[in-house]
C-alpha cells in the first residue's frame, strides 16, 4: 500500500477495539442513564438517594482514576474484570451519570397538562410514564445524548492506561517504531472523526424518526 495508507492495518486493529468500547459503553450508558434518571423522579426515597450517590460519584471523580480503581483495586476485593470489560463498564457508567440528568430534565420538561390528560383517561402511573411521558421526552434527550456518546468515543483513549491497545495506543506504538508522527496522527484524527460522524448520523436519523407525528 502507498504511504500513508501502509500505516492503516495496525491502526485498524486499534480502531476495532475503540469501536467495541464505544458500542459496549453506549449500551451501559443508556441503561444507567434511564435507570438513574427515572430513579431520581421516584416516590421511593431510597431510590432517589442511590441514584444521587451514583451520579455524584461518577461525575465528581476522574474517569481515569475510576478505570485504575476498577482494574487494579477491584481484584483485591475478589472482583476481576478484563481490560475490555473494565473499559466498557467504567466509561459507560461515567457517561451514564451525565445522561441521567438529561433523562430527568427531559421528563420534567414534558408539560404538566399531558400528565393531567393521562389521569383523565384513567391511565396508571406506569402507563402514563411509558405511553405518554417517555415518547415525548425522547426527542429532547437525543441531541445531548449524541454529544455524550461522542465524548464517550473520545474517552476510550484512556483505556490504554490499563493495557488495552485501542486506536490512540496503536498510534503511539506505531510512531515509536516508524517515527512518522505527522502521518500517523493525521490518520488517527481522521478515524476518530469518521466514528464521530457515524454517531452523529445515527442520532440525526433517530431524531427524524421520533419527530414523525409530533
Amino acid at each position: 500500500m502507498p504511504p500513508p495508507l501502509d500505516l492503516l492495518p495496525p491502526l485498524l486493529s486499534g480502531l476495532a477495539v475503540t469501536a467495541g468500547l464505544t458500542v459496549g459503553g453506549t449500551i451501559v450508558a443508556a441503561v444507567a442513564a434511564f435507570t438513574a434518571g427515572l430513579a431520581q423522579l421516584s416516590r421511593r426515597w431510597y431510590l432517589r438517594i442511590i441514584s444521587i450517590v451514583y451520579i455524584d460519584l461518577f461525575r465528581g471523580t476522574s474517569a481515569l482514576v475510576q478505570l485504575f480503581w476498577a482494574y487494579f483495586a477491584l481484584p483485591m476485593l475478589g472482583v476481576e474484570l478484563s481490560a475490555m470489560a473494565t473499559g466498557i463498564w467504567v466509561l459507560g457508567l461515567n457517561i451514564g451519570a451525565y445522561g441521567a440528568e438529561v433523562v430527568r430534565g427531559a421528563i420534567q420538561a414534558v408539560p404538566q397538562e399531558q400528565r393531567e390528560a393521562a389521569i383523565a383517561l384513567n391511565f396508571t402511573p406506569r402507563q402514563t410514564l411509558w405511553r405518554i411521558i417517555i415518547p415525548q421526552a425522547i426527542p429532547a434527550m437525543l441531541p445531548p445524548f449524541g454529544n455524550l456518546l461522542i465524548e464517550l468515543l473520545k474517552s476510550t483513549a484512556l483505556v490504554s492506561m490499563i493495557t488495552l491497545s485501542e486506536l490512540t495506543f496503536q498510534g503511539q506504538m506505531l510512531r515509536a517504531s516508524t517515527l512518522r508522527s505527522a502521518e500517523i496522527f493525521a490518520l488517527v484524527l481522521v478515524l476518530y472523526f469518521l466514528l464521530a460522524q457515524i454517531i452523529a448520523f445515527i442520532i440525526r436519523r433517530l431524531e427524524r424518526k421520533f419527530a414523525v407525528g409530533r
Side-chain angles (χ1 to χ4, degrees), residues 60-201:
T61 56
S62 164
L64 183 57
V65 174
Q66 293 165 16
L67 282 168
F68 284 159
W69 195 88
Y71 191 68
F72 296 114
L74 272 185
M76 299 179 183
L77 303 177
V79 180
E80 191 165 350
L81 299 173
S82 67
M84 189 72 172
T86 300
I88 287 172
W89 278 102
V90 170
L91 296 180
L93 290 172
N94 184 278
I95 293 298
Y98 293 90
E101 292 297 303
V102 173
V103 172
R104 180 184 61 80
I107 290 174
Q108 290 182 324
V110 175
Q112 181 63 30
E113 290 81 2
Q114 299 295 316
R115 296 174 174 82
E116 293 170 355
I119 292 171
L121 293 171
N122 203 31
F123 278 25
T124 66
R126 185 182 298 273
Q127 288 174 323
T128 300
L129 178 65
W130 292 106
R131 296 187 183 183
I132 305 295
I133 306 302
I134 295 294
Q136 294 185 67
I138 285 179
M141 298 177 194
L142 287 173
F145 266 147
N147 292 334
L148 289 174
L149 295 184
I150 291 174
E151 285 299 317
L152 170 61
L153 166 65
K154 293 187 288 186
S155 296
T156 58
L158 295 174
V159 302
S160 63
M161 304 299 291
I162 57 169
T163 73
L164 205 57
S165 299
E166 44 67 59
L167 179 56
T168 300
F169 182 77
Q170 286 287 1
Q172 292 172 333
M173 295 296 291
L174 199 56
R175 181 195 62 80
S177 62
T178 66
L179 302 180
R180 295 163 62 182
S181 300
E183 297 168 274
I184 291 166
F185 288 112
L187 286 172
V188 170
L189 285 173
V190 169
L191 292 172
Y192 272 116
F193 177 77
L194 291 176
L195 283 178
Q197 291 307 300
I198 291 171
I199 292 172
F201 173 76

